[in-house]
Amino acid sequence: MSANAVRSRSGIHGHETASGWLFTGPVLFLLGLFLVIPVLMALWVSFSDWGGRGSPFSAGVHFIGFDNYSKLLAGGGLAEQDFGTSLRNNAWYVVLVVPLQTALSLFLAVLVNRAVLRGRGFFRTAFYFPSVTSSVAITVLWLFLFSSTGSVNKLLSYIGITGPNWFNEPSGILHDLLGVFGVQNGPAFLTGGTFLGISWWDWLAGPSVAMSAYIIMGIFTTSGTFMLLFIAALQNLDRDVTEAAMVDGANGWQRFWQVTLPQLRPTLFTVLTLGLIGCWQVFDQIYTGTQGAPDKTTLTPAYLSYQAAFQDQGWGQGAAIAFILFVIIVFFTLFQRWVLRERKVSRRKMRPYLSVGTGSSGVPAGAAAAGQPPTPDGERQ
Amino acid sequence: MSITQSTDTAGTKQDHVRRRDRNGTMAATSVLYAVLIALAIVYIFPFLVQVATSFKSETEAAQSPVSLVPQVWTTAAYRGLFAHSDFPVWFKNSAIVTVCVTLGRVFFDSLAGYALARLHFRGRGVIYAGLIAVMSVPGVVLLIPKFLVLNQVGIYDSYTGMIVPLLTDAAGVFIMKNFFESVPISVEEQARIDGAGTFRVFWSIVLPMSRPALMTIIILSFQGSWNELSHFIVSTQSPALTTLTKGVASLASGQLGGPTQYPLKLAAAALMTVPVAVMFFIFQRRIMNTTEGAVKG
Amino acid sequence: MQKDTMQKGLAVRILSGAAAFTTVLALSACGSGFGGNATSTGSGTAGGGGGLTSSSSALTVMIGSSGNAETNAVKSAVADWSKSSGTKATVIAASNLDQQLAQGFAAKKPADVFYLSTGSLAGYAANGSLLAYGDQLKDTSDFYPTLVKSFTYNNKLYCAPKDFSTLQLVINTDMWKAAGLTDSDYPKTWDQLEAVSKKLTTGKQTGLVVSGQYERLGAFMVEAGGNLMNADSTQATANSAANVQALTYAKKLLTDGAMKFAADTGASWGGEALGKGLAAMTIEGNWITGGMQSDYPNIKYKVVPLPSGPKGQGTLEFTNCWGIAADSPNQAAALKLVEQLTTKSDQLGFAKAFGVMPSIQSAADSWKQAYPQLAPFMDAAAYAQGVPAAKGSAAVVSDLDSKLGSLAKSDPKTLLDETQKNLQALLK
C-alpha cells in the first residue's frame, strides 16, 4: 500500500505544478492586469505631465520628477490648499469615526451577546442591516434626514433645539464649541503659522457640521459589521479565565476591562485596521452627497484625487494625491500595529508572580485581579 | 457551521452566584433589553422613514418628515422615477454585472483557493504572499489607473470593462482556501488513487462539498458588485451602461430638472436596496456565521 | 501512467497557450489603446482646408442643462435636424459637464458636440481636445463681436457661440403688491435695493434670495466698477477696492437679513426659491423663464434692471458655444448640426423654451418684439461683463464660490486676497 501510495503521490504531485499555475492563472492574470499594472501606470502618470489626451506612454509625455508632488505639498497655491483641506477633513473623520465605531460595535456586541437567543437574532439583524445597503442609498437617505426640514431637525425641535442646516453648514464643530465660550478667533500663534496652506487654527476647527453628518453615517453603517466580529470573538472567549476572575471577586466592570478586553486584542486590532483603511478612503458618500461642499469642508483626498483628474484634467496631480494617500494609510496601519503590540511585561510587575505557581489555564493566580493580561508563554521574563 | 451556543458551562459555583443576585440580574436584564430596543429603533427608524416618505407628496415630506404614515398615500414618486429617468436600464445593467461577477468569482476564486490549499507547486508561497500584498492596496489608488488601463486594453465603456476587473478578488480566494484546508483530504486522495485528474477531483468532488463557502462567496460578491460605485464611474461613460449606483448618485446631485424631489430620490434608493435586502434576509444566518468563521480562521 | 502524461501534456499545452494569448493581448493592447492615432497632439484639424472626419456613426450631443425645459428644447431641435439630415443624434444631459467631458477626452471617446463655456475653452484648446472650426463656418459676421472674441484662442475661433444671457432682478409681483410697493419703487440704487428687500422680508419669505456664488454676486462687483479679471482675462483684479466694496455690501445685506443664500433656504437655486415662495426677489439669468414655466407656472414675476452701484449699471454675462471634439469620428456632420442649431429659427426656438438670447445680431429685433417683458436682459448687453476665461480660472472661481457660502461670517478682503493670489498663479 505504502509503495503504491508513494508512487501515486509523486505522480500526482508531478503535474500539480501545471495545474497549480493553471488554476491560479485567471486570478493572477486579472489581478495583475487590473491591480498591479494600474498601480505602476499611475506611478508613471504621477511623475509625468500627461495632459489627458492620448496614451500616457506616447512620445509627447515627459518625465517631470516630483513636480506634481511638490505642488501638492509645498506649492503655495490652490492645489496645496485643497490638499491640506482634504487631509484635515479626512483626519477629523478618522479621529472621530474609528474610536466611536469600535466602541459602539463592541458595546453592541456585548449587549447582544447577553441577550436571550431569540432576541439575539433580531437585534443582530437590525444592527447589521445598514452595512448591507449601498453607500449611495444611505447617502440619499441621509441627505433627506439631515436636510433643513428633515427628520433629524424635526426630532431635535421636539426637545427644543433648532437643528442646523446640516449639509450646508461649513463651520467646524470645535470652533462652534469654542464660540459658545466666547472664543471667536484663535490665538495669534495658531492663526499665524500654516501647514499645507491651512492655518493651524483652521486645522483645529474640527469637522464641519456637514462632515459630522457624514461621521454619524459612517458609524451607523459600519458598526454592524464590526459588531459581528466582536460577537464571534466574545463567543470564543476562554470561559475558564472569566470564571477564575469571578471566583477572585472581580465585578462585571473589572472583568470587562481586565479580562475580556485584553483577550479581544486580535479582533480589536482587526477592527481598528479595517476601520483606519476604510475611513481614509471616503469617496462614494462625497460623490453622491455634497461633492466637497460646503466650503470644501467635506472634501476628502480620495474625492480630490478623482476631481483633480476627472474634472480638472490634472491627471498627474490626481495620481500623486492617490499615492500620498496610500503612504498615509500604510503609515497609520503600521503605527496602530506598533501602538497595540503585545508589550513585554516589565520585570518589576512580574516579580510577585514569578514565585507563585501558575493556575491550570496558564494564568498566574491573582493575575486577573491584578490587571495584567494573560501573556503568552513566550513573553514571560 | 452553526452559531456557538452560549449556554452556561454549568458549574455549581456559577449557579450559586447567579441565584444569589437574581433580583439584581432582573433589573440589569430589563435595562439591557431597554437599551437594546432603543438602539434597534434608532437603527431601523431611518429605513422606515425612507419607505414612508417615498409614498408622500413633496410638500408633505418637507412638512412632516418624521411621520411614518403618509396623510395622503401617493405613488407619484415611483411613477416619476420610471417616467423621467432610466431606472429600468440602470436596474438591468446592475443585474447583468452582478450575475456575471458573482458567477465568475465563484468559479475563479474556488479554482485559485483550491490550488493554494491542496496543490503543491513551486511558487505557491510567492502567490500567497502576493495576494496578501494585493489585499493591502487601498481602492482609492486604483481609481485613476484602472481608467487608464481600461482604455489601453480597449474595453472602456463596455460590459466587458464593467465585469472583467471585478471578476476576482483576493479576499474570496482566501475564504475558499481556508475552507478547502478544513475539508478532510481522504476523499480527494481516494479519488486520485482511482485515477481522476486534478481538475476532475476539484470539479466533481471537492466543489460540491464546499457549498457553505460558495454561498458565502455568492453573498459577498452579490453585495459587493451590486453596491459598487467607483468602478462604474471610471469604466463607463455612456448613459446606456449606467448602473443603479451611478444612476441614483446622479439623481441625488439633482439633475432631474432642478427641484429637490426627496420622495423620488428616496424611492430610487429604496428600490435599489430591495434585492440586497432580500438576499440578506434569506441568507442572514450564513452571513452572520461567515464573519464569525473569518475570525476563527 | 499514460493518462498522467497525456494530462500533463494537455495541461502544459493549455498553459502555454494561455501565456501566448496573454502576451499577444498585452502587446496589441499597448499598441492600439487610446485610439492609436499617432498625430493625436496638436490643433486637432488634420491639415488645412476642411480636413474634417466623416463617418456614418451617430452623434452624441452633451449639454449642461438648466432644467427640463432646456433639455427638451435641445432634444427636439436635434431630432428635427436628425430627421432632415439622416444622421442619428442623441442628446445627453450631463450631471457634471466638466467631468464627463474630461473623461471622454481622456478616453478618446468624447461627445461629438457639447456645451463649452468661456472658462473651459482655454484648457481644452490647449491640450488639443477641440476642433477649431471657426474658419469652416459659413458666416461668422452675424455673431456678436464680443461673443466671438470670448471664443477665440490663439487667434483661432474655436466654436460658434450658441446664445448669451445676463443677470437681472426678478420680482414676484404678487408679493410686491402685497407689501404695498408699486412700479415706481423698483430699486435704482443699492440702498433702495436693501430697503425694498427688508420690506419684503416677512415670515417665511425673504426679500432677496440668490445662489451664494460669484456667478451672481459678481453683478455687484461690476456695478462697483470691478470684476475678478480684466476684459481680456490677462490681468487679475480680484482684490480691487471695488470688489471689496461690492462684497461688503452683499455681506451687509446678509447680516441685516435682507438677503439669504438659496442653500440656506433649502432651495438649490434662486429660481427654486422664487418658485416655492421662499423669495420675493432673486437675481437670475434668462434661463429662469424656462424653469418657472415648467416647474412653477403659478408664480407671476417681472424682470427689472438691477440697481446701479457706485459706478453705474453693471451685471454679468454668460455665454456658451457649441464645441466639437477633435476626436469625433463624424466632424462633418457635427459641423452641419452646429450650423443648424445657430440659425435664427433654432435660436428663437431655444429662446422661447428657456429664455436665452440669440447669439446672432439679426435675431435681436425679433427677440425683443417677442419678449418685451424680458427686455432688461437684452438691454444689459450694453453694460454686462463676462466671467474670467484664463486657463484654470474655473477652479479658482469655484474655490471662491465655496468660500462665498459663508460670506456673512467672513472678511471680504481676505476672500478676495486669496482669489487674487490664485488667479495670479495662473497667469505666470
Side-chain angles (χ1 to χ4, degrees), chain A residues 12-28, chain B residues 108 110-124 127 192 198-199, chain C residues 11 15:
Chain A
I12 290 169
H13 291 305
H15 70 72
E16 271 187 10
T17 314
S19 312
W21 282 99
L22 198 61
F23 280 22
T24 50
V27 169
L28 290 180
Chain B
F108 293 122
S110 51
L111 258 189
Y114 182 72
L116 289 180
R118 282 282 182 263
L119 304 181
H120 302 283
F121 58 103
R122 216 176 315 162
R124 177 171 127 166
I127 295 181
R192 298 279 188 88
T198 320
F199 188 74
Chain C
L15 196 62

Side-chain angles (χ1 to χ4, degrees), chain A residues 14 20 23 33 37 43 64 79 85 154 168 228 267 293 314 333 348 358:
Chain A
F23 280 22
L33 188 57
I37 293 185
L43 203 56
I64 56 172
T85 312
K154 198 61 189 270
N168 283 307
L228 290 186
T267 320
T333 313
R348 189 178 58 80
T358 58

